[in-house]
């Protein structure tokens, strides 16, 4: 049955009054109700300055009081007028009496990547991070009924399953933040009527008229024809989506259980636990994992690639890029690492040890001399040029004086050092010979000078969150030797 249309203020009021009363498509948090009641926690509003978000910001300010509203504006750096948009949005917030914060995207889409997808990923990353920082009761976005229909049509075109066909949820939770989308029952015509009645002023992003972007082309060419042929489509869509959302909620509950069974400490997943599931349930668990990380729900094609490389692959490792994340498997452990947290291969350099034996700053950490009766001569080491760089898997190291020399590849495999970290582990060579490499220590073979004071070398990252810290002893109190 079609729903009667409510006003903007009615929809906003209902959303703010009952943030925890989620529909079947939402993932609720028991803390939502108390967060909404806590007047010290602001309502964060995604505010681009366009028509939709302008209507939303004014309505939330009317419902909650401007002092409890924080407008968040994302500067993507894609439009020449973007700086002027910040000024416009700041002025609107100032006149309303709400808070305002401008957030700047970093980087740019990689060659061949979708500009739309990159901008959406950066937008949500920044908005969610800001909402968490201010302990927002919720983050509100201005998605409306036209956006909903466009999203469903695009999902059909991509061959999406229930993830896409249930459309945009009115409420959900992502990366620890409750998201509210209270305007989904109204189309753009209704929002424009509300804005004009209230004398609101908004900005128009010229990129919204560029047919090179798929959604824009759909909006300009297909949507008018659909409205003419099926005038009740937008009005009936919420009921159809609610039925699909009920099915999705049931599957989500199953996926959550599978994800819990596969989870390990540190947010990693056990490959064997996922591999024991039917493919559809594996995909659902991976999707839930990514959503919890704050990523956009993956497409079926993306999930198939993740399953093939991370779960079903015969190789000892897997590597899949997904938005701002690298999804990596080494043996049975699957982890997600932010792209900007991936340590790069160690740059080659030639150094000399300082006369005071102070540690050398190297590869995001510090290389230090440590007293060791079985080490090498400190005087000899200080007098030599030290070549540092990335290690090679075929190089050999003798970790025990009476043991055999072994390739670094064998040592890495035995220690469980992931392939994606190996070339980020510093290696030290002297006179063209490998002296030490993290995390295995100094070579114990014959031929190294050992007169006088003897030392070994220790390297540790400066940042305890550096993924290399797990193998080198950490940044603060680790004891593993380089």
């Amino acid at each position: 049955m079609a729903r009667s249309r409510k006003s903007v203020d009615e929809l906003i009021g209902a959303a703010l009054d009952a943030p925890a009363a989620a529909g079947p498509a939402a993932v609720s948090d028991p803390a939502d109700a108390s967060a909404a009641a806590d007047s010290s926690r602001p309502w964060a509003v995604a505010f681009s300055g366009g028509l939709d978000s302008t209507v939303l910001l004014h309505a939330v300010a009317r419902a909650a009081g401007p002092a409890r509203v924080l407008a968040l504006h994302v500067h993507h750096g894609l439009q020449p007028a973007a700086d002027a948009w910040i000024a416009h949005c700041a002025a609107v917030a100032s006149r309303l009496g709400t808070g305002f914060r401008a957030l700047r995207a970093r980087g740019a889409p990689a060659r061949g990547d979708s500009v739309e997808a990159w901008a959406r990923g950066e937008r949500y990353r920044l908005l969610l991070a800001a909402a968490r920082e201010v302990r927002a009761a919720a983050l509100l976005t201005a998605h409306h009924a036209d956006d909903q229909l466009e999203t469903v049509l695009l999902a059909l075109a991509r061959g999406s399953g229930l993830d896409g066909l249930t459309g945009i949820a009115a409420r959900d939770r992502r990366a620890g933040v409750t998201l509210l989308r209270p305007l989904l029952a109204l189309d753009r015509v209704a929002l424009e009527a509300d804005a004009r009645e209230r004398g609101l002023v908004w900005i128009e992003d010229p990129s919204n008229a560029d047919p090179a972007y798929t959604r824009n082309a759909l909006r300009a060419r297909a949507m008018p024809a659909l409205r003419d042929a099926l005038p009740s489509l937008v009005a009936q869509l919420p009921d159809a989506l609610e039925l699909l959302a009920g099915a999705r909620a049931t599957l989500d509950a199953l996926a959550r259980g599978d994800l819990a069974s596969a989870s390990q400490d540190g947010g990693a997943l056990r490959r064997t636990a996922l591999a024991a599931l039917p493919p559809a349930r594996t995909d659902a668990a991976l999707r839930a994992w990514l959503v919890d990380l704050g990523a956009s729900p993956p497409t079926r094609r993306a999930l198939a690639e993740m399953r093939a490389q991370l779960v079903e692959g015969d190789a000892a490792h897997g590597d899949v890029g997904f938005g701002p994340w690298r999804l990596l498997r080494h043996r049975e452990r699957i982890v997600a690492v932010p792209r900007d947290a991936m340590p790069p291969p160690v740059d080659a350099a030639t150094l000399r040890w300082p006369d005071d034996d102070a540690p050398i700053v190297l590869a995001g950490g510090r290389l230090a001399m440590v007293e060791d009766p079985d080490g090498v001569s400190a005087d000899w080491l200080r007098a030599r040029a030290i070549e540092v760089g990335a290690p090679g898997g075929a190089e050999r190291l003798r970790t025990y004086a009476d043991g055999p020399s072994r390739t670094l590849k064998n040592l890495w495999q035995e220690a469980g050092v992931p392939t994606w970290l190996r070339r980020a582990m510093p290696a030290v060579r002297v006179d063209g010979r490998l002296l030490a490499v993290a995390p295995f220590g100094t070579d114990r073979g014959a031929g190294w000078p050992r007169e006088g004071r003897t030392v070994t070398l220790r390297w540790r990252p400066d940042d305890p969150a550096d993924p290399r810290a797990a193998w080198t002893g950490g940044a603060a109190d680790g004891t593993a030797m380089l």
Side-chain angles (χ1 to χ4, degrees), residues 346-404:
V346 180
D347 290 332
T350 301
L351 310 169
R352 284 192 176 274
W353 214 282
D355 292 339
D356 60 359
D357 290 351
I360 296 173
V361 176
L362 172 65
R366 295 173 191 278
L367 178 65
M369 287 185 180
V370 179
E371 303 289 336
D372 182 352
D374 297 320
V376 298
S377 167
D379 291 338
W380 171 83
L381 187 61
R382 198 182 302 110
R384 289 291 188 280
I386 300 170
E387 301 166 4
V388 298
E395 292 186 283
R396 306 183 75 88
L397 194 75
R398 192 184 302 271
T399 55
Y400 301 98
D402 56 352

Side-chain angles (χ1 to χ4, degrees), residues 81-365:
D83 290 338
W85 294 345
I86 290 180
H88 167 86
C89 291
V92 170
S94 178
R95 287 194 298 270
L96 269 176
T98 70
F100 177 77
R101 181 180 296 185
L103 311 168
R104 288 184 177 265
R106 63 189 180 202
R111 179 176 297 179
D113 284 355
S114 163
V115 175
E116 294 169 285
W118 173 83
R120 182 170 58 252
E122 275 295 282
R123 183 162 57 250
Y124 270 105
R125 181 185 68 79
L126 291 165
L127 291 171
L128 291 169
R132 282 195 304 272
E133 181 183 340
V134 301
R135 299 180 64 249
L139 170 65
L140 291 89
T141 67
H143 294 89
H144 51 74
D146 291 344
D147 295 325
Q148 184 73 284
L149 178 55
E150 292 164 8
T151 298
V152 172
L153 291 174
L154 289 170
L156 281 170
R158 290 192 298 262
S160 297
L162 283 176
D163 284 347
L165 297 181
T166 51
I168 306 168
R171 295 180 176 89
D172 65 15
R173 193 164 179 84
R174 189 180 299 183
V177 176
T178 298
L179 284 119
L180 303 179
R181 304 177 182 95
L183 301 180
L184 288 174
L186 299 178
D187 58 20
R188 182 178 171 86
V189 172
L191 296 182
E192 185 168 350
D194 181 273
R196 295 198 183 282
E197 181 181 340
R198 300 181 187 280
L200 305 184
V201 178
W202 61 90
I203 57 179
E204 295 287 355
D205 183 344
S207 69
N208 289 336
D210 185 350
Y213 297 119
T214 305
R215 188 177 286 266
N216 293 346
L218 175 64
R219 186 176 301 147
R221 299 170 186 169
M223 292 291 285
L226 281 171
R227 287 182 179 278
D228 287 342
L230 301 169
S232 64
L233 181 59
V234 173
Q236 295 285 2
L237 188 62
D239 291 318
L241 295 183
E242 187 170 330
L243 293 173
L244 290 172
R248 175 182 164 186
T250 301
L251 295 176
D252 279 351
L254 180 61
R256 290 280 158 192
D258 290 338
L259 178 60
S261 297
S263 294
Q264 297 180 306
D265 291 343
L269 303 181
R270 286 185 300 114
R271 187 198 71 84
T272 50
L274 293 176
L277 300 172
R281 285 175 61 180
T282 299
D283 289 354
L286 289 171
R287 175 196 174 279
W289 181 53
L290 291 167
V291 169
D292 285 350
L293 291 172
S296 300
T299 63
R300 288 178 62 192
R301 179 179 295 180
L303 282 169
E305 183 183 3
M306 293 172 197
R307 178 164 28 88
Q309 291 214 35
L310 304 178
V311 180
E312 300 171 345
D314 294 331
H317 58 87
D319 184 346
V320 179
F322 186 69
W325 298 91
R326 289 275 298 278
L327 311 179
L328 304 156
R329 176 177 61 81
H330 181 72
R331 297 180 179 173
E332 299 303 314
R333 185 178 174 86
I334 302 169
V335 298
V337 180
R339 288 183 189 269
D340 56 8
M342 292 285 293
V346 180
D347 290 332
T350 301
L351 310 169
R352 284 192 176 274
W353 214 282
D355 292 339
D356 60 359
D357 290 351
I360 296 173
V361 176
L362 172 65

